[in-house]
Amino acid sequence: MSIDTRTAAHVAHLARIRVEQDELPALAEEFNRILGFIEELNEVDVEGVEPMVSVTPMRLKRRDDTVTDGGMPERVLSNAPDAREGFFAVPKVVE
C-alpha cells in the first residue's frame, strides 16, 4: 500500500493536524515508511510464541472479585469538600 499526498492530507485532516501543503510529501513518505515497517513485522514467524505482558516473566497478583460496601464511609467522606447525609454534595450544574 502506498500513501499519496492526497491521502496524507486526508489523514491529517481526520487527526485535526494542520500540515502545510509543502510538508505533505514528507508526511506521505513518513506514512509509507511506517507502513513498510508494519509489512516487515507481518513477515516475522510468531508461530508458537506466547503473548507477553512484560519483558520479565511475572504473574499479576490476583484477588477475589467480591463486591463490598467498603466498610469505611466516614473515612471516604472525610476527603470530600462537602458531604451531607452520607453522600458527596456537589454544586448543581444543570438547570
Side-chain angles (χ1 to χ4, degrees), residues 47-61:
E47 189 68 33
V49 177
E50 292 290 323
M52 295 174 27
V53 176
S54 173
V55 294
T56 58
M58 61 169 56
R59 280 193 53 80
L60 298 175
K61 295 179 181 177

Side-chain angles (χ1 to χ4, degrees), residues 66-73 76:
T66 56
V67 177
T68 67
D69 65 355
M72 57 182 97
V76 172

Side-chain angles (χ1 to χ4, degrees), residues 15-63:
R16 303 295 191 260
I17 300 170
R18 183 184 317 143
V19 179
E20 299 301 327
Q21 194 68 28
D22 60 329
E23 296 173 340
L24 284 173
L27 180 63
E29 182 58 35
E30 184 68 23
F31 284 152
N32 285 319
R33 280 196 296 270
I34 292 168
L35 291 175
F37 180 69
I38 292 170
E39 287 176 11
E40 280 184 47
L41 290 176
N42 285 333
E43 295 173 8
V44 175
D45 180 21
V46 293
E47 189 68 33
V49 177
E50 292 290 323
M52 295 174 27
V53 176
S54 173
V55 294
T56 58
M58 61 169 56
R59 280 193 53 80
L60 298 175
K61 295 179 181 177
R62 306 223 183 246
R63 62 173 173 77

